[in-house]
Amino acid sequence: MNATAPPPPTAARVPVWADPKYLIVFLITLVLVAGEARYSILGGYDRLATTLGICIATEVLLSWWLRGRVANIASAYITGISLALLIKPQANILWPFALGAFLAIGSKYVLTYRGRHLWNPSNFAIALLVLVAADQVAILSHQWGNDLRINLVIWAFGLAVASRARVLHVTLTYVGCFIGLAALRNAIVGGPLLAELAPITGPMYQLFVLFMVTDPRTTVSTRRGRIIVVAIVALVETVIRLAGDFQLALLRPLYPSPPLLALALVGPVAMWWDLFRQGRKR
Amino acid sequence: MFSWRRFIVAAAFVAAIVAVIVLNARAGGSGASTSETIHLSEVAHASGIDFVHQSPTLDPKVAHIAAHIAALGACVSVADVNNDGWPDLYFTTSRFGASNALYINQKDGTFRDAAAEAGIGSLNRAGEGVSMGAVWGDYDNDGLEDLLVYKWGYPQLFHNLGNGHFEDVTAQSGLRSWMNSNGAVWFDFDRDGLLDLYITGYFRSDIDFWHLRTTRIMQHSWEFATNGGKNLLFKNLGNGRFKDVTDSMGVGSTRWTLAATAADFNDDGWPDLYLANDYGPEELFLNREGKRFELARAGLEDDSKSGMAVAVGDVFNRGRHDVFVTNISERGFLFQGNNLRINFLKELGRFNEIATGPVADAGWAWGAQFGDLNNDGRLDLVVVNGFISADSGREYWYAMSKIAGAQGDIFEDAKNWPAIGTASLSGYERSRVLENHGQAGFADVAEAAGVTDLLDGRGVAMADLFNRGTLDVVVANQKGRALLYRNAGPGGHWVEFKLVGTRSNRSAIGAEVTVQLGNARQRQVVDGGMGFCSQNDRRLHFGLGDQRLGAVTIRWPSGAEQVLRGLAPDQLHVITEPK
């Protein structure tokens, strides 16, 4: 997750409180505080300290060393919190947080094309951990208990911030696609429709929909392109989910987190294609 | 200049990925330790034990997830039922028409099922419910172990008549109240010399699984569910009757309790209650001098998992009751990890959770017990596991993950759950035998020790079944045959205690024995139910290792303290409470 939003359309100076970057910082802090206060979602403050500390330190160090200036740490802050929330390893081990944090920020400086990073940092780190460290790492499977209020508050703030950050179309496209494809999956595999719709009511999806898939730095340059890409992400997610329903062993490593891994597969390809096309136009 | 800097960063990046792979691989290899001192051989059939558990059949309204809901009920409890000095075994099954089993120890390495003639076999009947487990305790202090069978249905209390027969005294006891229970523990909370009873509720008590009025029967949260059955505390009035004192004592948790045990965790002389709750945090109810219980803030409340069993043991020989609670771990999907909580209640007012490696990850873990399997003076740990072993080519984890992270209202209704069909759910897992190496931690030696079964373990109990000075292990498996792991280890010095209460309850449940072992001391408690739907033998077993047997301190449930010195090792000592 990356806080850096596209520049506002006018030259008018935006107050700090209304800057989408800081609104996203506020929103993810709200998720953290609400989740921890009510449901102890972190599983230990050492996890937060580790990810946040290493994300920020890596960002400061690499930006200074490679680019000659210290980057704004808002992006690292958001990445750190989202990793602390989403990584759920075996008890009492901290290395997934430490290495995940370094790899997330490091990916911004290593996995680049034409000066832009291809993966959303936290998406890259989580996908990598889930795929190559499945013996010790899972992702967030908590929910907000049965408290609809917290769910609604976070969705309301999230949609407002997405609107302010001018990525609401991405969020709504994904949600629309998810619902439509849930109905399709239900038609194919049968069973209760609510079981197919259920995932989107949980916090993992909130983090995914409100922060990760909308990351301005890792979405393509046009509005139409972003809508198409996020629809493809939802489609790939559905393919993974159907493979899960039909017990396709080959894709078993992808089952625990279909949306995150769908984004990890689709996002960088779309970014690369977008940057490639921009380069050719120039 | 930038290029070599970028190269260094890229190299560090690749190194970090390699580190992830290496660190992950280390976890995969944690189950292959060898042991030269723990050897167990499975002898159930050879010993005459051919018990096979059967799961309950439920209302068709929940047929699509019946395999999930009905995956409970395989229990084993140990007691010397006929006072012949040899431990006997009681197993429960959970299908209408199927019989529970009472295996009487024949003193020659074999057992004989006497449940039918004893009148405690045929308990699974329509309208009455099905057995989920049992605990033994001499509630009337007549010197004979009585039996409480908890059920999804009406619990049943059986009075041991001493002639090989039992009398159903439920109706006059005041215990006939429909519950969906998966655990119970005898303990004397008010130290009046009479065993009281704590029965845990899992599903709500208004649910009749054979006549469902609603499908809204499931948990409303995976982490903080409070819509389970209410736990009940019954005070023993001494005239064969029990009185429900749950609310006045403050122990009516509705957190889907799967297991409870009692011990004096805070050393104030009063037995406390420790609960392992499914879909929620563990709970420790501290006993305030028998007048009320207080929910402790002991570092448990924020750590919400899926507690299945609670075992108490003195892990580092500090003279404290540490706690082990089993939970769920499944590769890629969920790492709740078991909890090994070291007791620092006196110093810090809390437990410190230290589980790592094979202690933390024992698959979908159920029953667990501490016991010194190699008589080296340290308590080892046996953990049984596996939830549903069905079609090994199909698994339910993905389907369950769809609703696992959802809004609670959705999965509270069973009709919203995807059908499980023939799929497995954390099936075919191997049990764990964790050898205690002291400060070096525990090593999983199951395979080397001879424990290789892949059955769906539920209850596990330990007892010196053949009076050899070594602990054997009995496992009750869901929809599977019961196992008896006879200890064939080299053996070392040991000492055992059978305690007989006088002022305290005759079973001496709640009595605590601390044995001095060199500079260390190991503490154990006589349990009235421990692990998951299981109960160890009343006799306490201590391995001595290479230490001399020092002073032995007994703290009786009455509060009396007794110090014994110069006891001979390698013997069972029968100690009667001073009057």
Side-chain angles (χ1 to χ4, degrees):
Chain A
M1 294 166 213
N2 192 315
T4 314
T10 67
R13 188 174 176 80
V14 178
V16 168
W17 63 266
D19 186 330
K21 180 167 55 185
Y22 295 109
L23 284 174
I24 293 171
V25 166
F26 165 75
L27 181 59
I28 199 158
T29 306
L30 175 73
V31 172
L32 171 72
V33 171
E36 180 61 16
R38 189 73 196 273
Y39 298 112
S40 305
I41 200 168
L42 270 174
Y45 289 105
D46 51 348
R47 297 177 172 189
L48 179 65
T50 301
T51 47
L52 211 48
I54 292 179
C55 277
I56 291 172
T58 305
E59 182 87 290
V60 168
L61 186 68
L62 294 187
S63 60
W64 168 75
W65 210 46
L66 294 178
R67 296 174 183 168
R69 60 181 173 80
V70 174
N72 187 311
I73 61 166
S75 167
Y77 173 85
I78 294 167
T79 301
I81 288 182
S82 57
L83 287 177
L85 289 172
L86 283 166
I87 296 173
K88 296 296 167 193
Q90 274 199 9
N92 297 322
I93 59 170
L94 281 176
W95 68 258
F97 297 97
L99 289 172
F102 175 76
L103 287 166
I105 303 301
S107 73
K108 291 168 61 177
Y109 296 87
V110 175
L111 303 175
T112 59
Y113 179 65
R114 293 185 189 268
R116 295 276 301 274
H117 56 279
L118 299 174
W119 270 274
N120 169 280
S122 47
N123 180 243
F124 172 80
I126 289 165
L128 186 119
L129 287 170
V130 168
L131 289 176
V132 306
D135 288 332
Q136 298 214 43
V137 180
I139 66 159
L140 175 67
S141 60
H142 277 56
Q143 23 77 307
W144 301 124
N146 59 343
D147 191 342
L148 196 58
R149 288 169 303 178
I150 287 186
N151 226 320
L152 292 176
V153 166
I154 290 171
W155 272 108
F157 272 103
L159 292 174
V161 173
S163 173
R164 178 69 203 167
R166 306 174 73 188
V167 289
L168 187 60
H169 59 287
V170 177
T171 301
L172 294 181
T173 301
Y174 177 81
V175 171
C177 288
F178 181 91
I179 292 169
L181 291 166
L184 176 68
R185 289 196 304 271
N186 180 247
I188 294 171
V189 303
L193 175 60
L194 270 176
E196 299 300 330
L197 292 169
I200 207 162
T201 63
M204 192 270 275
Y205 265 76
Q206 288 175 351
L207 291 166
F208 175 74
V209 173
L210 299 176
F211 300 99
M212 201 178 282
V213 82
T214 54
D215 175 7
R217 294 302 297 266
T218 51
T219 51
V220 296
S221 55
T222 65
R223 179 185 171 90
R224 185 163 161 262
R226 287 194 288 272
I227 288 173
I228 291 170
V229 169
V230 79
I232 293 173
V233 169
L235 193 63
V236 171
E237 178 194 350
T238 280
V239 171
I240 296 171
R241 288 193 172 281
L242 285 173
D245 282 313
F246 288 103
Q247 307 273 328
L248 203 61
L250 188 67
L251 296 184
R252 207 262 184 194
L254 307 182
Y255 300 165
S257 43
L260 273 67
L261 291 164
L263 177 62
L265 292 171
V266 174
V269 175
M271 273 299 287
W272 174 82
W273 177 247
D274 190 50
L275 293 169
F276 178 73
R277 282 185 61 220
Q278 286 180 43
R280 283 181 64 185
K281 280 180 188 168
R282 287 190 198 118
Chain B
M1 184 176 74
F2 268 20
S3 60
W4 68 263
R5 289 189 175 188
R6 283 191 184 282
F7 176 79
I8 289 172
V9 171
F13 187 77
V14 172
I17 294 174
V18 172
V20 169
I21 295 168
V22 170
L23 288 166
N24 180 64
R26 280 190 184 175
S30 61
S33 300
T34 60
S35 174
E36 294 179 356
T37 55
I38 299 179
H39 298 285
L40 302 165
S41 53
E42 206 288 296
V43 298
H45 179 70
S47 302
I49 296 174
D50 288 305
F51 183 80
V52 178
H53 174 266
Q54 297 182 64
S55 288
T57 53
L58 305 178
D59 190 304
K61 291 189 189 75
V62 292
H64 63 299
I65 54 168
H68 183 290
I69 293 175
L72 298 166
C75 144
V76 57
S77 300
V78 184
D80 182 1
V81 175
N82 51 6
N83 279 340
D84 64 354
W86 295 74
D88 310 301
L89 305 172
Y90 188 72
F91 292 96
T92 58
T93 189
S94 314
R95 179 163 296 188
F96 290 144
S99 289
N100 299 341
L102 172 64
Y103 282 100
I104 299 294
N105 196 323
Q106 300 299 295
K107 311 173 194 175
D108 59 359
T110 67
F111 294 81
R112 182 180 67 83
D113 183 6
E117 62 201 66
I120 52 175
S122 187
L123 309 185
N124 304 307
R125 298 191 297 268
E128 292 293 314
V130 296
S131 306
M132 284 289 145
V135 280
W136 296 91
D138 183 1
Y139 75 86
D140 60 347
N141 290 333
D142 65 354
L144 296 163
E145 295 286 343
D146 308 303
L147 179 67
L148 183 280
V149 180
Y150 46 91
K151 302 165 94 174
W152 287 2
Y154 295 109
Q156 286 183 274
L157 179 64
F158 292 93
H159 183 225
N160 188 340
L161 302 176
N163 56 1
H165 298 279
F166 288 76
E167 179 189 4
D168 186 343
V169 294
T170 315
Q172 57 266 40
S173 70
L175 295 173
R176 190 174 162 80
S177 167
W178 187 280
M179 291 182 79
N180 292 301
S181 172
N182 287 94
V185 57
W186 291 106
F187 75 128
D188 182 6
F189 78 85
D190 52 2
R191 296 191 350 192
D192 63 354
L194 297 168
L195 281 176
D196 309 300
L197 183 61
Y198 191 64
I199 310 182
T200 65
Y202 190 56
F203 287 94
R204 294 192 317 268
S205 59
D206 64 321
I207 294 169
D208 176 344
F209 272 108
W210 299 272
H211 305 91
L212 286 177
R213 286 173 293 165
T214 174
T215 51
R216 295 192 76 82
I217 61 171
M218 308 300 283
Q219 71 279 11
H220 62 193
S221 164
W222 289 81
E223 285 90 28
F224 296 91
T226 54
N227 65 334
K230 184 178 179 181
N231 300 339
L232 299 178
L233 175 62
F234 292 96
K235 175 178 164 53
N236 188 338
L237 301 177
N239 53 1
R241 292 191 58 79
F242 291 79
K243 181 186 174 190
D244 183 347
V245 294
T246 310
D247 293 334
S248 62
M249 298 303 294
V251 286
S253 176
T254 57
R255 283 192 180 275
W256 294 82
T257 305
L258 273 176
T261 199
D264 182 9
F265 292 99
N266 60 351
D267 277 337
D268 67 352
W270 296 84
D272 312 303
L273 275 172
Y274 199 108
L275 311 185
N277 298 319
D278 206 356
Y279 319 118
E282 295 149 32
E283 290 174 300
L284 170 63
F285 286 99
L286 293 175
N287 188 339
R288 298 306 184 201
E289 300 185 346
K291 296 183 178 67
R292 63 191 165 84
F293 285 83
E294 231 173 62
L295 184 60
R297 291 192 64 85
L300 312 175
E301 54 281 351
D302 298 331
D303 196 8
S304 180
K305 300 182 179 178
S306 305
M308 307 284 174
V310 53
V312 173
D314 188 354
V315 174
F316 297 117
N317 290 343
R318 302 176 307 137
R320 299 288 180 86
H321 291 312
D322 306 312
V323 178
F324 180 71
V325 174
T326 53
N327 285 289
I328 303 170
S329 291
E330 171 66 24
R331 187 179 188 275
F333 280 97
L334 184 63
F335 289 111
Q336 290 183 325
N338 305 317
N339 292 327
L340 180 58
R341 299 191 187 277
I342 304 304
N343 187 338
F344 288 103
L345 283 175
K346 261 187 171 174
E347 298 88 346
L348 307 171
R350 56 176 290 130
F351 293 86
N352 277 358
E353 207 282 295
I354 64 161
T356 56
V359 177
D361 182 357
W364 192 313
W366 285 93
Q369 298 291 358
F370 284 102
D372 189 349
L373 292 171
N374 52 3
N375 286 344
D376 68 349
R378 290 188 287 257
L379 293 176
D380 310 300
L381 192 51
V382 173
V383 185
V384 297
N385 52 13
F387 190 27
I388 300 170
S389 296
D391 182 345
S392 58
R394 300 182 66 80
E395 67 169 4
Y396 190 62
W397 265 103
Y398 164 70
M400 195 168 71
S401 75
K402 292 187 208 176
I403 55 166
Q407 177 69 19
D409 296 328
I410 294 174
F411 53 76
E412 184 182 1
D413 194 337
K415 76 172 190 293
N416 293 330
W417 286 54
I420 190 166
T422 60
S424 292
L425 183 58
S426 291
Y428 304 102
E429 296 186 330
R430 57 177 190 82
S431 301
R432 309 291 204 268
V433 177
L434 302 171
E435 185 175 349
N436 187 342
H437 293 165
Q439 294 297 331
F442 287 82
D444 180 9
V445 299
E447 196 170 343
V451 176
T452 55
D453 75 88
L454 300 176
L455 297 170
D456 292 338
R458 292 294 181 272
V460 57
M462 290 197 195
D464 180 3
L465 290 174
F466 309 109
N467 290 341
R468 299 172 301 144
T470 184
L471 284 176
D472 307 295
V473 180
V474 190
V475 181
N477 292 300
Q478 188 75 18
K479 291 176 74 174
R481 61 193 178 89
L483 302 177
L484 195 172
Y485 282 105
R486 183 183 170 109
N487 196 332
H493 293 294
W494 55 276
V495 65
E496 291 178 357
F497 300 96
K498 175 179 168 57
L499 306 182
V500 181
T502 54
R503 285 190 287 162
S504 307
N505 68 86
R506 279 285 289 269
S507 299
I509 286 172
E512 304 202 337
V513 177
T514 303
V515 168
Q516 195 72 36
L517 297 168
N519 293 327
R521 58 203 168 104
Q522 189 182 107
R523 179 175 174 182
Q524 294 187 27
V525 61
V526 179
D527 78 83
M530 190 178 285
F532 172 66
C533 69
S534 52
Q535 184 179 23
N536 297 308
D537 190 12
R538 225 66 78 252
R539 300 180 305 184
L540 298 181
H541 172 96
F542 292 82
L544 301 181
D546 52 8
Q547 302 292 337
R548 274 189 58 236
L549 174 60
V552 174
T553 305
I554 303 172
R555 202 171 72 191
W556 295 88
S558 64
E561 194 166 295
Q562 186 177 8
V563 181
L564 304 167
R565 299 179 198 280
L567 292 178
D570 303 326
Q571 286 185 24
L572 167 70
H573 297 275
V574 180
I575 312 289
T576 301
E577 181 181 15
K579 289 188 177 173

